Structure formats: structure tokens, C-alpha cells
Amino acid sequence: MRNDRVAAVLASAARGILGDGYTPEIPARMLEAIDHVATQKERNQLLTTLRLLDTKAGALALTGRPVPMSWLTMPEAEAVIQKWTTARLAGQRRLAGSLTAIALVAKYGEPCPEWQEFGYAGPLGPPPERGPRIESTVIDSDETISCDVVVVGSGAGGGCAAAVLANAGLDVVILEKGGHFAERDFHHIERRALHEMYLYGATLTNTDVTTRIIAGKCLGGGTLVNFAVAFKTPDYVLREWAEVSGIDAFVSGEIEQSLDEVAERIGITTEQSAPGRRDQLLEQGAAKLGWHNDALPRAVRGCTQDAGCGYCGFGCRAGAKQGTALTYLVDAAEAGARIFVETDVRRVAIENGVAVGVEAVCGRHNLRVRARAVVAAAGSVETPALLLRSGLRGEVGKHLRLHPGTAAWGFFDEDVKIWEGTTMARYSKELAHIDGGYGPIFETIPLHPGTWATVFPWYSAADHRDLMSKIGRVSFVAALARDAAGGRVTIDKHGAPRIDWKPTIEDNRRITEGVVAAGRIIEAAGATEIHTVHTEPISYRPAPGAHERWADEVRERGFLKDATFGSWHQMGSCRMGIDPATSAVGAENESHEVKNLYVMDASTFPTASGVNPMVSIYGIAHRGAKKLAERLS
């Protein structure tokens, strides 16, 4: 009965948001999205609000009329969402934003008639029959096992560390929170893939709901669902890391050696970066301005570089993306490592200040792993949450960096189809040097209708449907900011992660200048209208002096409020350093607080990498695992 009331309110809200695009399946999909929300407190708050909206008293308080939300007509429900969108109270604006986002993904992230109307083909045929290259286990009873090293996480950090350790002759167990997916499982339906393969169903945000946190949750972690960009850590970043951390390995050549070995294993190349139309526009715009542009290095072998490549964020059907499921996890398994999936590690077992294993749950069953060493490699959100649940404190969870992404987007007089083409093929580092290497770089990524629907501003159901009808002619240039803001990961009373992060004044200035420059790129590429990603976008049509006037307005408003970011890169929340007062783990990745507990993922970064971080993660894990193998052997 309680969920029936929630579903009735969601149906009313969805009718107001989607108008004639509403279908009866939408409320159940929205409820499924709410079930993925990270913290029980946030889920309960939203569900309680929705139930209140179906009472006269609650409706009066939240809508101004004593009429339960489920009783409203479509125009009345639309008027409520419009009222909340521009409300003075932040809570009402957040409620409108949350409901609008989940309704739009529920609509456009699943097959619907509108796909054909705006030229979205959806999945390009059925997935291939190819199954997994490695075996994994889902436990079906309580178990206790022993090993030399238990590795929590299977992405760039965990997968690489496990392979190095197993190849050194150590008995390794790998625990992955997500499921095991192979080519035959890549159905390429956006909403379902987001829920199945991404952390918290891609619903995770920071506490003020201004930044959407995107990370993988599957065997292979982010390397299964990312866009294969493979930058080595820039020299100026390594120098800064050495200075901040006091660790000489960043500049002695030790990390560089690991980066080189990793590059060979994962097949880094610029020879398989043929640009689709989206990347061609970035390249053309930058070239017309006389700005730097170049092919992106990618970790691929045999990439098709065709329309289907743009679906690779839901799994690479060609088996070309060289994530850990096709590289390091294969190496680890061939060396005898055991892999367990759908396994949520709740705490590190610690005895007398020494890590002796982990405790995990798999559905209704418990898994205990006894080990000589524990490697936490669950990413910059889940690793600090695990350590905090295990009683660590100190600098754990602090110094979080997010690479907040925003963009200038626009309409073109041609079909672009931003969901097609090589995942990422071109970039520009024209402004990367500013502020000592803290300037943004410019990239573009494939985005599908469910996600892009949340980028378009929502003013009314009809207005948004009109924008969606033009989605095929949209393109954008993203400004990837290297943030200096020190965010923090904490946990709630149930142990779920909470992310506190806000840009500093200097971050805001760099983000703003990045968007201003991105606007120049897409105007030079031929955009006929250009917009920011604000709740109320700042827009212009190219004309003499128009960009300058737009830029002035963008600088005046900035991005400290009324703006949303996307973060595909989380870093620094258990950072390396020789001083326990400013870092969580030492020069060889061991916790300052607990012996035999190691961290080998992006959370160890002393500061933001400034480029896509995958290879930097690999490098740190590769070196750290070699050190650990020497110690245990």
C-alpha cells in the first residue's frame, strides 16, 4: 500500500514532466531508480516526501493546495513541477530536479517511439554470443576462506594489483561488489545498463545534489564501462605529487617504469582514434581557432571505431577495449587467483592494529576471508567508506578531487548523433597550462538520450519534448577542470558513503574560463545556438560581439550555484604521503594506521591528475603491488 501511494505520486509527477510522452511503465522505473540511491536516509527522505504529497496536509505544505498529488491533472502536475523548479526553497528545487531527472531517464533510456522520431537507433542488433574469458563465483552459503592477499575491487587498481601479486606466486582472492558481464550481456539499453553496471545505478551525487558521481560497479570496474582514454600521468603532475607527498618514486623513474609496463599490457595507441562527427567538430573548431588539438591515446586492440563504438559505455561488444576483464584479471586468473562477484565488503578485519582479512556479504550470505594482507582498491568513494566502516580515521576520506565536468553545447544544421562514433578520439589542451597546470582540457564523450535529456533544461513538458526532437543535431565540448577543492567522503550510520564537495572560488574561475573557451570552439565548428549547462542556461546565437557578451554573462554568473556537474573521475580520498598528518597511506601504499592494509586505486592520488586517470591508477597499483609482492615473498 505504501509503495502504491508512492507510485501514484510518481505517476502524477511523470505526467507533469513528460506530458504526452508519459507511459504507464514510467513510475515503476522511477521507483527502481530510487531504490538505487546510496544512503538509506536519502531514500527514506524522498519516499516520505512522496507519501506526504499524497495527503491533503502534505500537499498543502509542498504545493500550496490541499489536493493530493495523485489527484492532479496533467497540467496541474506540470504547474507544480514548474513551481518547484524556480522555488525559493532549495529543498523544493532539489525535489524538482531529482524527479525530473529520474523521469527523463526512465522515459528516454528505454525503447520508446520517440527514439525513431529523433533518429536514435537504440541497440545496434543483439549482443554477440561471446561469454566471459574468466570464471567467477557467487557464493550460495556462508563461507570462510584463506589466502595470502585479498583484493577489494577489480578495476584498474584492483585488477592490476591482483595480477602482479598472483604472478609473484601469491594466493590471491579478488572481491567485486558488482556483477560479472561479458559481451553476451551487453544489451546496450541505456537505463538498464546504468542500473546494472554503475555504482548505485548512476544515482550517486554530492550532498547538495550539484554533482553527479559516475563510477563502475562490475567485474572490471571503471575499465569495463569507461571510454578507454589512456593518458600517462603528465610530468608536471608527477612533480607536484612528489612535492605534495614527499614520495620520490613519482620523479625517480620508478612510477614511470610501471606506467610503461602498463601501457604495453593494455595496448595504448593513437592509431585507433578515428573521429566520429562529434569529435570532428571539436577538432575543426579548435583548428579554426589555431588551438592545440590531437588524437587521444586509447587502450584498445581491434577497435571498430564505428557507430556502435559510441555504446561502449554499456560494454564493448567488439571485445576491443582493453579493460582488466580482458587483461589483468585474465592474467590473475591464469596464475590461480579466485574471483568472487556480487560481494559487498563491509569491513576490514583488524586485530591488534594489523589487517587480517575482510568480512563481506553476498545477498543473504556472509563471506569471511582471512589474509596476510588486504588491498583496498574499490575506488575513491567506496575505499574510504570501507576504511571508515573499519574504524580508521586520520586523513581517510579527506582531500577528495572530482574533475568536475561541464560544457558548452549547441545545435548544428546537420545531424551529429552524439551517441555514435569512437568513444573519445580528439582533445585539446590549449588552456591546460594556466595556473601552473590547473587549466581545463577539452574533450567530448558519447551521451545517449536518457542522459542527454537531463542536460536539456526543463521548463515545461512541451518545451522539453521539442528540445528532444532536435537531439540529433546537438553537440558539445566539455571542459574537464582540474579541481583544487578538498572534498570529503564520510559515511552515514549505516556505513553508506556521503560526498561533500564544492568548487573553490579559483575552481569556479577555471571552470568558467573553460566553458567560455568551449563556447568559442563549438561556435567555430558551426553551431547555430550555444548554451551553458545551468538550470537556466545562458545562451546566444553567433553574431558580431555575441560571444563576448555571452562570456561576460557566464563570468558574472559563474558555476558556484545554479549549475550541475558530472564527475567521471574521483581521486585523492586516501592520498599517499610520508606524513600521517596530511595523508592516509605511505610511500608503499600501506595505511598509516593499520599494518598490512594497502590502498591501490585513484584514492591514493596526492592531487587531481588533470587528465583521465585510468593509466595513473594502473601505474600506482602496479608499483605498489610489486612492493607488496617483494615483502610477502
Side-chain angles (χ1 to χ4, degrees), residues 59 87 115 131 147-148 179 183 198 270 282 292 299 328 334 358 398 411 460 510 521 528 534 536 558 569 628:
W115 280 7
C147 62
D148 291 319
E183 285 90 331
Y198 285 77
T270 56
L282 187 159
H292 167 270
Y328 284 112
E334 289 177 349
V358 299
K398 299 178 184 178
F411 290 110
S460 70
R510 288 187 284 264
I521 294 172
T528 58
H534 285 92
E536 294 188 24
H569 311 148
L628 178 56

Side-chain angles (χ1 to χ4, degrees), residues 65-83:
R65 296 176 59 204
V67 181
M69 186 87 172
S70 64
W71 297 7
L72 300 182
T73 65
M74 186 181 292
E76 289 171 336
E78 180 183 52
V80 168
I81 302 297
Q82 289 171 324
K83 178 180 177 181

Side-chain angles (χ1 to χ4, degrees), residues 394-409:
E395 295 298 289
V396 171
K398 299 178 184 178
H399 313 292
L400 176 71
R401 304 294 196 273
L402 293 184
H403 278 174
T406 187
W409 63 272

Side-chain angles (χ1 to χ4, degrees), residues 27 33 60 187 200 266 313 329 376 405 407 417 439 490 574 581 595 614:
L60 177 62
H187 50 68
Y200 301 108
I266 65 174
L329 289 174
K417 297 185 178 180
T490 57
C574 293
K595 296 296 182 185
M614 179 178 70

Side-chain angles (χ1 to χ4, degrees), residues 24 62 67 91 131 182 333 363 366 411 441 447 452 548 550 574 596 627:
L62 291 167
V67 181
N366 296 315
F411 290 110
I441 61 174
L447 289 177
W452 190 265
E548 289 75 12
W550 177 78
C574 293
N596 294 347
K627 297 286 186 183

